[in-house]
Amino acid sequence: MPRLRLALQQIDSCVGDLARNAAAVVHGTRQAAGQGAHLVAFPEMALTGYPVEDLALRPSFVEASRAALSALAARLTAEGLGEVPVVVGYLDRCAQALPRYGRPAGAPQNAAAVLHRGAIALTFAKHHLPNYGVFDEFRYFVPGDTLPVLRVHGVDVALAICEDLWQEGGRVPAAREAGAGLLLSVNASPYERDKDDTRLELVRKRAQEAGCTTAYLAMTGGQDELVFDGDSIVVDADGRVLARAPQFAEGCVLVDVELPAAAPEPPSGVLTDGLRVDHVVLSTAPPAPAPATAERAAGTLDGHAERLDDLAEIYTALVVGLRAYVTKNGFGSVVLGLSGGIDSALVAALACDALGAEQVHAVAMPSRYSSEHSVGDAAELARRTGLHFRTVPIGPMFDAYMATLHLTGLAEENLQSRLRGTTLMALSNQEGHLVLAPGNKSELACGYSTLYGDSVGGYGPIKDVYKTVVYELARWRNEAAAARGETPPIPEHSLSKPPSAELRPGQVDTDSLPDYAVLDRILELYVDRDRGREEIVAQGFDAALVTRVLRMVDHAEYKRRQYPPGTKISAKGFGKDRRLPITNHWREGF
């Protein structure tokens, strides 16, 4: 059987940066060609970045994408790389009107192309369009209606895009009907906790349904709130894993696969779901033996990478998401309030790991209610990590406001938080740092935050992390440091003391919130799983407590709308995943 060397390029594209992304494709193709690859693939919409959102509705951007694709095909040939077929995702438009979908000619499409010998040899659009969670692809795109099949060195390779594998029917069974020897899917599927296990089982199942070796190429990096974790997978027709790439790493996975020779007569006609076969022959001669890869090129990834454990995976996702947001948006440094509490401690550790301690600025802003140990814990974390640290007491500012406004109670408490937010924003304006907001998912869910105070910031690194997981991640980070012989970054006292906003004497979080171990279980059912009050109570929770928690969540929607973006790690984060009206009189049983 022909032995095809497949190069899967896990790259981090930047939305809208066509020149940068094209250069990454050229670089990756050169690297793969130098190692004897017969077919090189890049992720879904690699040329434009993903997701492009409403940029898809701008004809100027669509045309720029199409022009960049043509220029890329010519550039590959001009640089001596034209003989290697390259699969690359981009933004296209349909040539004809699609009355079935009520869309005119020129409607955008999530597409991919095969580039070969300076030309665009084949194009196709995503068939199954996701319209759930963070995806709005029915808003933007019209589906493709073909099964693209590429004959490379005598092997028929069927092509698909992301959701084409996640949904039943369509291109997977059509690949079996067409007798494909390989099914190659290019993807930009965002990270979610535990999704790597789901992805592996999906690819195994689809390979068995397609009856052929299946390659799932994934994007890596970050885009706004989304993180892409790589984890490209190749399995044979029986579901046996042939290669699996590292998580959260850019680079090329090279895998040699033995594939059946294509039938003499190319597939044709209309197959499952009305898909029309679009077959293109690039080469029929068996491939020359690929060179040995003992000398691996720089950027070549291990095709049998070990998996990260659960907490390592989450922590890495948070680091990657923060780094991508800061660097892609042109910020050189970040600033955050460092209170000595666990949330700001974890955010500081994440920032140091993402950007380097020299790019992280922390500010302690004690008031008359700040405990000595909290100020000391903040200074100790700064010493351990090496980040920039300063102290700006807010007492004089607080006294000036109180002398004028004579505030009491909650207004007095929140004034302290708002003074801290104002201080951080002033330093941001003066010194150019991006402000990081330290709020966690438990607090955001319940509205346990101060607008224009601790909610101030340009990015919320732990916005989608429940408080109980905040503690787990902090302990994991310290243990990982100790295992490497390094100083754990987070002081033990920040982990052991009761959490408190320290806005009044003796205050602790449990004055306002249930114990986090119970609260987070209720929130996961209500926020993440959309369970109603009666269903949650049936899980064994106190009915009055459930009513109280659900009321807090519902009443805090207006606050969450004003919170900065932050890395998504769950199946349902606050933002695009969960879109509830602010003005809403529906209540769950109360």
Side-chain angles (χ1 to χ4, degrees):
M1 292 198 299
R3 189 177 183 86
L4 206 66
R5 176 162 291 182
L6 181 64
L8 304 177
Q9 289 284 1
Q10 288 191 173
I11 68 170
D12 176 10
S13 295
C14 183
V15 166
D17 196 340
L18 299 173
R20 171 192 182 276
N21 299 336
V25 172
V26 174
H27 173 79
T29 302
R30 183 182 297 110
Q31 174 199 37
Q35 295 193 280
H38 301 119
L39 178 63
V40 186
F42 293 85
E44 176 182 7
M45 298 193 85
L47 189 56
T48 57
Y50 182 89
V52 297
E53 300 185 310
D54 277 18
L55 283 175
L57 303 179
R58 293 190 189 176
S60 58
F61 186 63
V62 178
E63 291 310 309
S65 168
R66 287 162 55 86
L69 183 73
S70 297
L72 176 59
R75 180 177 173 183
L76 288 169
T77 294
E79 298 196 19
L81 303 170
E83 293 301 314
V84 183
V86 176
V87 182
V88 60
Y90 72 109
L91 176 65
D92 201 357
R93 56 176 172 78
C94 61
Q96 298 177 338
L98 298 175
R100 175 182 175 186
Y101 302 102
R103 304 292 291 276
Q109 290 186 305
N110 179 339
V114 179
L115 309 181
H116 188 237
R117 295 181 178 174
I120 300 170
L122 175 68
T123 65
F124 61 100
K126 195 173 187 176
H127 177 61
H128 286 306
L129 299 177
N131 209 53
Y132 54 84
V134 299
F135 304 107
D136 289 314
E137 296 210 5
F138 276 120
R139 170 181 170 86
Y140 301 117
F141 305 127
V142 292
D145 59 0
T146 66
L147 175 70
V149 180
L150 192 68
R151 184 160 294 183
V152 181
H153 291 298
V155 175
D156 276 347
V157 181
L159 302 171
I161 302 176
C162 202
E163 196 73 8
D164 294 341
L165 259 65
W166 287 91
Q167 297 295 327
E168 300 288 342
R171 283 176 172 148
V172 172
R176 175 185 284 273
E177 289 183 59
L182 172 68
L183 174 59
L184 169 61
S185 177
V186 297
N187 308 272
S189 182
Y191 167 79
E192 293 172 7
R193 187 174 183 176
D194 299 326
K195 192 174 185 178
D196 56 332
D197 297 327
T198 302
R199 181 186 293 131
L200 175 59
E201 292 311 308
L202 170 79
V203 177
R204 282 174 161 161
K205 179 182 178 182
R206 296 300 186 237
Q208 293 166 351
E209 292 172 352
C212 64
T213 297
T214 298
Y216 182 103
L217 166 61
M219 184 180 285
T220 191
Q223 168 62 30
D224 292 347
E225 296 189 293
L226 301 182
V227 175
F228 303 96
D229 59 327
D231 189 29
S232 298
I233 303 169
V234 182
V235 303
D236 66 15
D238 296 322
R240 182 172 63 94
V241 177
L242 303 178
R244 193 165 186 189
Q247 298 161 281
F248 307 103
E250 276 197 282
C252 176
V253 179
L254 283 173
V255 56
D256 293 333
V257 286
E258 290 190 355
L259 303 170
E265 289 297 320
S268 62
V270 177
L271 307 174
T272 296
D273 286 359
L275 294 175
R276 170 179 49 83
V277 175
D278 190 359
H279 189 275
V280 172
V281 177
L282 296 186
S283 55
T284 57
T293 56
E295 296 294 329
R296 295 168 66 84
T300 304
L301 301 175
D302 185 355
H304 293 278
E306 292 186 10
R307 317 314 301 154
L308 298 174
D309 65 39
D310 187 38
L311 291 175
E313 180 184 285
I314 296 171
Y315 191 91
T316 305
L318 296 173
V319 167
V320 170
L322 175 57
R323 180 188 299 129
Y325 191 85
V326 172
T327 58
K328 288 183 177 180
N329 285 289
F331 290 95
S333 56
V334 297
V335 65
L336 70 150
L338 199 57
S339 67
I342 192 62
D343 294 323
S344 63
L346 179 60
V347 170
L350 287 165
C352 289
D353 289 339
L355 307 170
E358 67 279 3
Q359 306 303 330
V360 180
H361 298 253
V363 187
M365 295 169 283
S367 74
R368 66 180 66 170
Y369 303 121
S370 299
S371 61
E372 288 186 15
H373 62 72
S374 290
V375 177
D377 290 339
E380 175 62 14
L381 184 144
R383 185 191 68 79
R384 294 184 181 200
T385 60
L387 57 75
H388 300 280
F389 181 68
R390 74 187 93 173
T391 300
V392 180
I394 64 168
M397 293 180 268
F398 179 74
D399 292 341
Y401 270 88
M402 290 297 292
T404 302
L405 298 175
H406 309 292
L407 304 175
T408 60
L410 188 61
E412 178 185 359
E413 292 180 28
N414 286 343
L415 174 61
Q416 299 165 69
S417 181
R418 291 192 174 107
L419 289 171
R420 291 176 174 130
T422 298
T423 300
L424 290 173
M425 289 307 303
L427 292 174
S428 171
N429 291 159
Q430 180 69 27
E431 300 174 4
H433 315 302
L434 175 72
V435 178
L436 300 183
N440 62 66
K441 192 171 186 177
S442 306
E443 295 172 348
L444 266 65
C446 296
Y448 193 62
S449 62
T450 302
L451 281 178
Y452 325 118
D454 56 318
S455 64
V456 155
Y459 199 72
I462 59 172
K463 175 183 179 179
D464 198 27
V465 183
Y466 284 119
K467 186 78 166 192
T468 49
V469 181
V470 168
Y471 279 101
E472 291 175 4
L473 290 171
R475 293 189 180 97
W476 175 87
R477 180 62 182 86
N478 276 3
E479 291 167 2
R484 295 192 295 266
E486 301 170 355
T487 301
I490 298 173
E492 184 58 34
H493 196 249
S494 294
L495 283 158
S496 61
K497 66 186 176 185
S500 170
E502 294 192 336
L503 299 177
R504 63 174 183 267
Q507 182 184 34
V508 292
D509 287 5
T510 49
D511 294 341
S512 304
L513 298 175
D515 181 79
Y516 282 114
V518 176
L519 174 64
D520 287 355
R521 290 163 58 202
I522 296 174
L523 291 175
E524 183 188 8
L525 291 168
Y526 188 50
V527 174
D528 294 22
R529 303 188 188 182
D530 285 317
R531 299 292 189 263
R533 178 185 178 277
E534 300 309 318
E535 292 177 279
I536 298 173
V537 171
Q539 294 283 325
F541 295 98
D542 177 75
L545 177 61
V546 171
T547 297
R548 177 187 165 204
V549 170
L550 269 54
R551 181 179 289 117
M552 287 191 292
V553 174
D554 290 351
H555 288 172
E557 188 63 36
Y558 78 102
K559 285 190 176 183
R560 288 188 290 272
R561 289 288 186 92
Q562 300 178 68
Y563 203 81
T567 307
K568 167 183 156 64
I569 63 161
S570 71
K572 181 165 282 193
F574 290 124
K576 288 186 178 180
D577 279 324
R578 189 177 188 272
R579 311 178 202 183
L580 291 174
I582 295 174
T583 305
N584 172 21
H585 286 223
W586 167 256
R587 295 292 179 261
E588 284 286 343
F590 59 88

